[in-house]
């Protein structure tokens, strides 16, 4: 589904260079379920942003669904991204002026083959809102929600287009263990349907639900498997 | 240090009433170290916002450092809050246009008895930035930082005025376990110095560092002590 080949990502900060990724190569076959772990600043979100085609590498190649992303222009990239990928951001990126329902619907407006919201779309919105426990809050806005409720809106929104690839950046960071288990249950079902899930987490309880774990350190893959310290 | 007496907080949402807190009474003596746990939406952040005098209860009394908060006007409240309380927000609330250093310095500008930044202030900024592992990033802005790095700026900022009361809303939600341990170490030292710490967390590994735990459910205190399920 997605393959990174010797990926480098460097940010220029004034005269300072931050080498966020320093040569990352990894293959994610379809149906994979991977947890990316590692210390704060080790490059996890940067890697996920590249996988989500939200950013381009400084060096190296990213093959997404058979296309080399560097050979696609921005429009082609947007189209592929919207069709294939659902992204749960580390800081949610909800639209403050939109209600919960409108936020969940945002990806539906980016579909190239269907511009209107059908009744089956609406049913799917209501169903997902119910799955994340927000059925009663559809007409409220982000500032009226708790941190965990906002996170759950971001999760529902990422899933509305039935994406083949789900990229989740700390999807349960603001959720208590019961709610976390419900979300992990949902992700497990999606993976069982054949979807590819790549999630960043720093919690072993979440990481062990995945099929394999990748550990990042200083912009490189340092190892595989769970941390053994807790 | 802080006492809640039969606190109610109700939000009006159109014709909908959300009763976020439904009769909460609890005393936090000086030097206390309490973890507040409970499911998403149970009222934890609302309680912390009231303790931080960032919001007023719909009913009940809040006694902060001997003053009934309802008898203080907004200016008096601001002054007490800035002098006594350091607040780590669930969504950080960093100022995007300010650098890391400028963000850490924000509370210094609100001091009523000293409007300029002295060299000892500056030393404290550098020291705190070092304590949270951000000494090299002082001139960068939030968008150039990872999620956990942004959280650490919020932590340093909350501590810059040497507050007597530290209110922390999920202070390690975006931190890996090593960085989390460093932050918990720092909070432990501050409590050993006599400061009162009230922190919201949904992680047992964090909650067990506190002296006691309070469990919230549906806007009320449902019990005390750690969750036994993980
Ligand atoms: N400004 C607001 N307007 C309306 N309702 C609100 C507002 N702020 C919070 N609420 C509601 O009050 C309830 C409690 O919210 P609160 O943020 O205290 O929960 P929490 O325990 O911190 O949850 P989480 O663990 O998800 O952060 C929730 O149902 C929330 O939607
Ligand atoms: N837009 C940017 N400009 C400059 N530097 C950046 C930018 N985005 C990220 N960085 C830097 O790149 C490095 C990796 O960041 P990244 O967000 O990938 O870390 P992370 O592993 O997700 O961390 P966390 O666990 O704290 O979220 C960090 O040093 C970060 O400060
Ligand atoms: Mg990150
Ligand atoms: Mg909260």
């Amino acid at each position: 589904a997605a393959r990174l080949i010797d990926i480098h990502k460097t940010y220029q900060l004034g005269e300072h260079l931050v080498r966020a990724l320093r040569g990352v190569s990894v293959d994610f076959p379809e149906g994979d379920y991977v947890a990316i772990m590692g210390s704060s600043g080790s490059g996890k979100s940067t890697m996920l942003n590249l996988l989500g085609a939200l950013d381009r590498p400084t060096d190296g190649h990213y093959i997404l669904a058979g296309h080399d992303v560097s050979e696609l222009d921005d429009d082609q990239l947007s189209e592929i991204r919207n069709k294939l990928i659902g992204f749960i951001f580390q800081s949610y990126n909800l639209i403050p002026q939109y209600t919960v329902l409108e936020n969940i619907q945002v990806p539906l407006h980016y579909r190239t083959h269907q511009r209107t919201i059908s009744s089956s779309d609406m049913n799917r919105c209501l169903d997902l809102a119910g799955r994340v426990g927000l059925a009663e809050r559809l007409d409220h806005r982000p500032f009226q929600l708790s941190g965990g409720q906002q996170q759950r809106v971001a999760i529902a929104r990422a899933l509305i287009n039935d994406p083949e690839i789900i990229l989740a950046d700390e999807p349960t960071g603001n959720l208590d263990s019961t709610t976390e288990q419900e979300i992990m249950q949902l992700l497990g079902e999606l993976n069982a349907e054949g979807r590819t899930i790549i999630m960043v987490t720093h919690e072993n309880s979440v990481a062990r639900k995945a099929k394999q774990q990748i550990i990042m350190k200083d912009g490189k893959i340092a190892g595989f498997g769970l941390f053994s310290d807790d």
Side-chain angles (χ1 to χ4, degrees), chain A:
Chain A
R3 171 181 301 200
L4 300 175
I5 303 173
D6 196 33
I7 292 289
H8 291 258
K9 180 68 184 178
T10 303
Y11 295 106
Q12 179 92 41
L13 294 178
E15 352 137 329
H16 212 79
L17 279 178
V18 176
R19 299 194 58 211
L21 294 176
R22 307 161 186 242
V24 171
S25 297
V26 57
D27 188 32
F28 299 99
E30 281 181 35
D32 209 1
Y33 189 176
V34 182
I36 301 173
M37 306 182 80
S39 37
S40 177
S42 58
K44 306 180 296 295
S45 295
T46 300
M47 185 159 147
L48 219 65
N49 288 339
L50 290 178
L51 287 167
L54 294 167
D55 201 1
R56 292 176 188 271
T58 312
D59 237 325
H61 295 273
Y62 175 35
I63 316 296
L64 171 62
H67 306 269
D68 187 326
V69 155
S70 57
E71 288 163 17
L72 301 175
D73 64 37
D74 285 354
D75 287 340
Q76 293 167 315
L77 202 51
S78 289
E79 182 168 352
I80 286 190
R81 185 195 314 128
N82 186 262
K83 189 146 119 290
L84 289 184
I85 299 176
F87 207 118
I88 303 165
F89 294 89
Q90 189 168 8
S91 53
Y92 323 150
N93 293 358
L94 299 182
I95 299 182
Q97 301 83 349
Y98 285 11
T99 62
V100 166
L101 180 60
E102 289 164 343
N103 265 291
I104 293 174
Q105 289 171 341
V106 163
L108 299 176
H109 295 298
Y110 286 99
R111 289 181 300 194
T112 43
H113 55 282
Q114 185 181 335
R115 285 289 179 181
T116 55
I117 295 185
S118 67
S119 57
S120 74
D121 286 330
M122 197 48 133
N123 283 334
R124 210 161 69 251
C125 290
L126 301 182
D127 177 64
L128 269 171
R131 289 295 311 253
V132 299
L134 291 174
E136 333 269 271
R137 311 303 297 266
L138 290 175
D139 52 351
H140 296 156
R141 291 183 170 75
F143 78 92
Q144 294 165 327
L145 303 178
S146 74
Q149 288 165 343
Q150 292 176 25
Q151 185 157 41
R152 288 182 264 151
V153 176
I155 293 168
R157 176 184 64 189
L159 304 178
I160 196 60
N161 263 342
D162 264 341
E164 288 182 32
I165 301 172
I166 296 161
L167 303 177
D169 203 338
E170 310 270 4
T172 61
N174 271 301
L175 302 176
D176 58 282
S177 38
T178 307
T179 316
E180 174 176 287
Q181 279 168 38
E182 292 167 8
I183 297 303
M184 295 315 296
Q185 169 83 15
L186 173 55
L187 291 180
E189 291 171 16
L190 293 167
N191 180 243
E193 289 170 13
R195 296 163 208 282
T196 309
I197 300 185
I198 304 167
M199 84 188 157
V200 172
T201 181
H202 62 261
E203 294 184 59
N204 270 5
S205 59
V206 172
R208 67 172 50 110
K209 295 285 179 358
K211 288 174 183 160
Q212 66 159 333
Q213 298 81 20
I214 290 175
I215 301 177
M216 300 287 296
K217 188 171 158 61
D218 298 328
K220 288 182 174 237
I221 293 179
F224 297 89
L226 289 170
F227 281 132
S228 53
D229 57 16
D230 58 338

